[in-house]
């Protein structure tokens, strides 16, 4: 075996090139007991004294293979003890918990495993996993079968946040040669010998055929992944700029600027938004987001309680909030002073101000959005109260179908039940005179004959 192809030299070069470790780092190693993770443990134990590394071995027992899983745990425990490395372990019933969570077994087990790793590593520790070049090749092929783009063709990144992969450039053949030379045994997961998982099918059936077509397959994959990584970095830089330029002061996105972006940049912006909300991303969700944005209307619900909504000028994420119970304030008799602060419920106050007509918005500006919060003060009958909407509420307005309860009109705009429960309805002794977002009833609307205006300001909404 040529010296330049040995695992220690390749891994040491990978660590240096990608700045994975520095003097005195604390490192949590995820060790399953298989060849790759055992090789990583042995290698890092060899270089630890020179770098002053503080090593800790973490093992997660998924309780999937009965005695075999317990045997893996005991093997790793003894190996850590033999090498003088601290050992930590946790176990959970992955199959049962994944079913309860409504997730696939592999994905759920991976998420839980990394939860343990982060917990054991602490706030400042590094997490080292034993992914190899073979793993990266399998990942690229798996992503291809799912219709991936540039991002999925990068394979497995060398570094992600606090997670490092020192064996990322080592083949499985080099791993096994290293262990043989070190005289170190390891455990073999019996499920790896079957084709019940997609990754195993690729490993046993697809990659051998590709190797027959190209004996230098690992180098070809490395070249592809390196190119895709560079292109992805460029896409990320463009997305940084696009997000700044598309984000309005309200936090919403300018729809036209979104449409002007190159499709790969726009798709990556969707990916960012969804990942911040911890939403699993699929090509189907991305296609629906794209269609909604192109149409400039409608909504997509990538998960329960979260919607992406599009309008003619804006696109935004809307989070569901729990509905409030029905509320109603006491009657407030007219007349009152020029300005009155009116608490409605926690997080929502109104200021009611009586203005001469000339200081308000003139009746000629009937289409001005602010006019929706103005009423003809002198048409209000005796007293007002504020309350939550009711299903049968009617708001008599010119040009509207006044036989239909206004909540149906509200519902057609896609408001959630939580948002509807926070709408304010004002009524006087004769009925409803104003609804938040919809404006005044005809009998109280501002006209050219209005002498005094009741101006409604929503001061606070911190829910």
């Amino acid at each position: 075996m040529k010296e330049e192809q040995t695992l220690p030299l390749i891994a040491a070069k990978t660590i240096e090139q990608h700045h994975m470790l520095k003097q005195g780092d604390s490192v949590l190693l995820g060790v399953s007991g298989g060849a790759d993770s055992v090789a990583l443990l042995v290698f890092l134990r060899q270089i630890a004294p020179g770098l002053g590394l503080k090593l800790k071995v973490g093992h997660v027992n998924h309780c999937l293979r009965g005695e075999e899983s317990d045997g893996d745990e005991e093997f790793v425990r003894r190996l850590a003890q033999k090498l003088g490395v601290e050992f930590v372990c946790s176990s959970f019933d992955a199959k049962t918990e994944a079913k309860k969570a409504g997730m696939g077994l592999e994905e759920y087990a991976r998420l839980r495993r990394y939860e343990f790793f982060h917990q054991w590593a602490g706030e400042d520790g590094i997490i080292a996993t034993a992914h190899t070049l073979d793993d990266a090749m399998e990942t690229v092929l798996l992503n291809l079968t799912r219709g991936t783009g540039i991002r999925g063709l990068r394979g497995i990144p060398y570094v992600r946040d606090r997670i490092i992969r020192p064996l990322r450039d080592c083949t499985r053949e080099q791993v096994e040669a290293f262990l043989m030379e070190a005289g170190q045994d390891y455990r073999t997961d019996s499920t790896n010998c079957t084709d019940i998982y997609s990754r195993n099918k690729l490993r046993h059936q697809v990659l051998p055929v590709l190797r027959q077509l190209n004996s230098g397959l690992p180098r070809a994959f490395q070249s592809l992944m390196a190119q895709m990584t560079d292109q992805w970095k460029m896409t990320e830089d463009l997305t940084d700029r696009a997000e700044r330029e598309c984000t309005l002061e309200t936090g919403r996105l300018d729809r036209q600027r979104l449409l002007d972006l190159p499709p790969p940049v726009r798709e990556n912006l969707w990916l960012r938004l969804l990942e911040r909300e911890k939403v699993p991303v699929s090509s189907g969700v991305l296609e629906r987001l794209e269609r909604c944005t192109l149409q400039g209307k409608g909504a997509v619900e990538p998960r329960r309680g979260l919607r992406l909504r599009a309008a003619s000028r804006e696109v935004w994420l809307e989070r569901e909030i729990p509905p409030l119970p029905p509320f109603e304030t006491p009657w407030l008799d007219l007349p009152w002073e020029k300005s009155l602060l009116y608490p409605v419920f926690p997080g929502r106050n109104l200021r009611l101000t009586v203005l001469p007509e000339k200081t308000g918005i003139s009746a000629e500006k009937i289409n001005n959005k602010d006019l929706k919060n103005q009423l003809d003060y002198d048409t209000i009958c005796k007293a007002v109260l504020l309350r939550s909407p009711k299903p049968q509420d009617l708001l008599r307005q010119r040009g509207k179908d006044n036989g239909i309860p206004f909540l149906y009109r509200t519902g057609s705009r896609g408001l959630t039940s939580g948002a509807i429960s926070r709408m304010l309805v004002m009524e006087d002794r004769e009925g409803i005179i104003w609804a938040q977002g919809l404006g005044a009833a005809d009998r109280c609307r501002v006209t050219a004959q209005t002498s005094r205006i009741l101006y409604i300001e929503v001061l606070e909404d911190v829910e």
Side-chain angles (χ1 to χ4, degrees):
M1 184 171 60
K2 295 181 180 180
E3 187 177 62
E4 63 270 17
Q5 295 300 313
T6 62
L7 180 147
L9 289 178
I10 295 172
K13 184 178 179 182
T14 299
I15 290 171
E16 182 180 1
Q17 284 183 333
H18 297 278
H19 312 288
M20 293 182 176
L21 295 170
K22 62 182 184 298
Q23 194 75 26
D25 272 340
S26 296
V27 185
L28 183 283
L29 291 78
V31 181
S32 66
D36 298 342
S37 61
V38 169
L40 176 64
L41 171 56
V42 173
F43 166 69
L44 287 182
R45 181 65 184 83
Q46 290 175 353
I47 69 170
L51 287 173
L53 302 179
K54 306 175 188 69
L55 303 182
K56 183 190 295 185
V57 168
H59 177 82
V60 180
N61 185 342
H62 301 86
C63 301
L64 290 171
R65 295 173 286 115
E67 292 183 1
E68 187 177 324
S69 292
D70 295 338
D72 293 345
E73 178 182 330
E74 185 59 26
F75 172 84
V76 177
R77 184 191 308 275
R78 290 183 178 180
L79 178 59
Q81 185 178 17
K82 170 187 168 184
L83 296 176
V85 179
E86 181 184 351
F87 174 80
V88 288
C89 177
S90 285
S91 61
F92 70 101
D93 187 337
K95 191 171 184 179
T96 300
E97 290 191 19
K99 187 175 181 180
K100 287 181 180 178
M103 296 177 62
L105 175 59
E106 289 182 273
E107 177 65 11
Y108 182 81
R110 185 185 69 82
L111 290 174
R112 289 282 280 138
R113 191 162 56 245
Y114 276 96
E115 283 180 10
F116 286 122
F117 289 168
H118 280 89
Q119 175 186 330
W120 294 331
E123 292 185 1
D124 301 321
I126 303 294
I127 298 169
T129 64
H131 293 92
T132 64
L133 178 54
D134 287 65
D135 293 318
M137 292 162 58
E138 292 162 8
T139 297
V140 168
L141 293 175
L142 271 176
N143 289 340
L144 277 173
T145 67
R146 298 164 180 162
T148 190
I150 294 174
R151 187 186 192 189
L153 295 178
R154 297 175 304 148
I156 300 173
Y158 291 92
V159 178
R160 179 170 58 85
D161 299 326
R162 294 189 291 142
I163 301 169
I164 64 171
R165 299 177 173 104
L167 305 187
R168 170 61 172 69
D169 288 329
C170 300
T171 65
R172 194 157 287 129
E173 182 181 357
Q174 290 162 342
V175 166
E176 293 174 355
F178 171 72
L179 291 174
M180 182 178 293
E181 185 174 320
Q184 177 61 58
D185 60 344
Y186 53 88
R187 300 279 290 183
T188 299
D189 184 336
S190 60
T191 61
N192 287 340
C193 301
T194 70
D195 288 342
I196 59 175
Y197 298 120
S198 299
R199 187 176 288 273
N200 289 357
K201 289 181 181 178
L202 290 173
R203 185 179 303 158
H204 299 149
Q205 300 177 27
V206 178
L207 279 170
V209 175
L210 294 179
R211 285 191 172 95
Q212 290 175 9
L213 296 174
N214 180 3
S215 59
L217 191 69
R219 290 193 300 275
F221 266 85
Q222 275 185 312
S223 175
L224 170 67
M225 290 185 289
Q227 291 177 58
M228 293 301 101
T229 297
D230 289 341
Q231 290 194 32
W232 179 252
K233 185 180 184 305
M234 181 177 65
T235 303
E236 284 278 80
D237 292 342
L238 290 171
T239 305
D240 289 341
R241 177 179 173 182
E243 186 170 10
R244 290 193 299 270
E245 294 179 349
C246 291
T247 302
L248 302 170
E249 289 184 2
T250 60
R252 297 184 175 188
L253 299 174
D254 185 295
R255 175 173 168 265
Q256 188 54 55
R257 289 182 180 178
L258 279 175
L259 294 176
D260 291 340
L261 296 175
V265 176
R266 188 165 60 244
E267 179 178 301
N268 193 36
L269 186 51
W270 296 141
L271 287 170
R272 283 190 182 183
L273 294 175
L274 294 175
E275 287 178 348
R276 286 171 191 163
E277 300 292 334
K278 296 181 170 48
V279 175
V281 181
S282 68
S283 58
V285 168
L286 293 175
E287 287 171 7
R288 293 198 298 275
L289 292 177
E290 184 75 358
R291 187 162 56 247
C292 185
T293 304
L294 290 172
Q295 294 173 347
K297 61 181 181 180
V300 176
E301 192 168 21
R303 67 164 165 76
R304 186 173 182 180
L306 180 73
R307 292 181 182 178
L308 182 133
R309 191 174 299 284
S312 59
R313 295 183 179 181
E314 298 175 334
V315 178
W316 68 96
L317 279 174
E318 182 178 82
R319 295 165 190 83
E320 176 66 281
I321 50 179
L324 286 177
F327 62 88
E328 183 175 295
T329 65
W331 283 100
L332 178 64
D333 293 326
L334 275 64
W336 60 73
E337 298 297 325
K338 287 186 177 181
S339 184
L340 178 71
L341 186 65
Y342 197 14
V344 185
F345 57 79
R348 180 72 59 84
N349 298 318
L350 294 189
R351 177 177 288 132
L352 304 176
T353 306
V354 181
L355 301 169
E357 191 276 338
K358 64 181 181 180
T359 64
I361 295 177
S362 67
E364 286 74 16
K365 296 183 178 180
I366 195 70
N367 292 321
N368 191 306
K369 185 177 180 181
D370 200 35
L371 195 56
K372 286 186 175 181
N373 288 339
Q374 298 192 45
L375 288 77
D376 186 324
Y377 176 78
D378 294 297
T379 62
I380 300 173
C381 182
K382 299 181 180 179
V384 298
L385 65 74
L386 287 155
R387 62 171 174 80
S388 51
K390 299 175 182 177
Q392 71 274 18
D393 281 343
L394 297 175
L395 182 66
R396 304 291 180 181
Q397 290 181 305
R398 180 183 303 177
K400 305 293 184 181
D401 188 342
N402 293 314
I404 298 178
F406 71 75
L407 280 185
Y408 288 93
R409 286 191 263 149
T410 303
S412 70
R413 293 180 5 224
L415 291 180
T416 64
S417 60
I420 289 173
S421 74
R422 286 162 171 75
M423 281 183 65
L424 301 177
V425 174
M426 181 182 287
E427 64 176 68
D428 64 8
R429 295 295 186 181
E430 294 183 359
I432 295 174
I433 59 174
W434 174 81
Q436 186 180 3
L438 298 177
D442 272 348
R443 68 180 175 88
C444 292
R445 69 185 180 89
V446 174
T447 68
Q449 287 72 46
T450 297
S451 60
R452 289 186 294 177
I453 290 173
L454 174 62
Y455 183 48
I456 304 170
E457 295 176 87
V458 180
L459 294 180
E460 203 174 345
D461 187 2
V462 298
E463 288 291 324

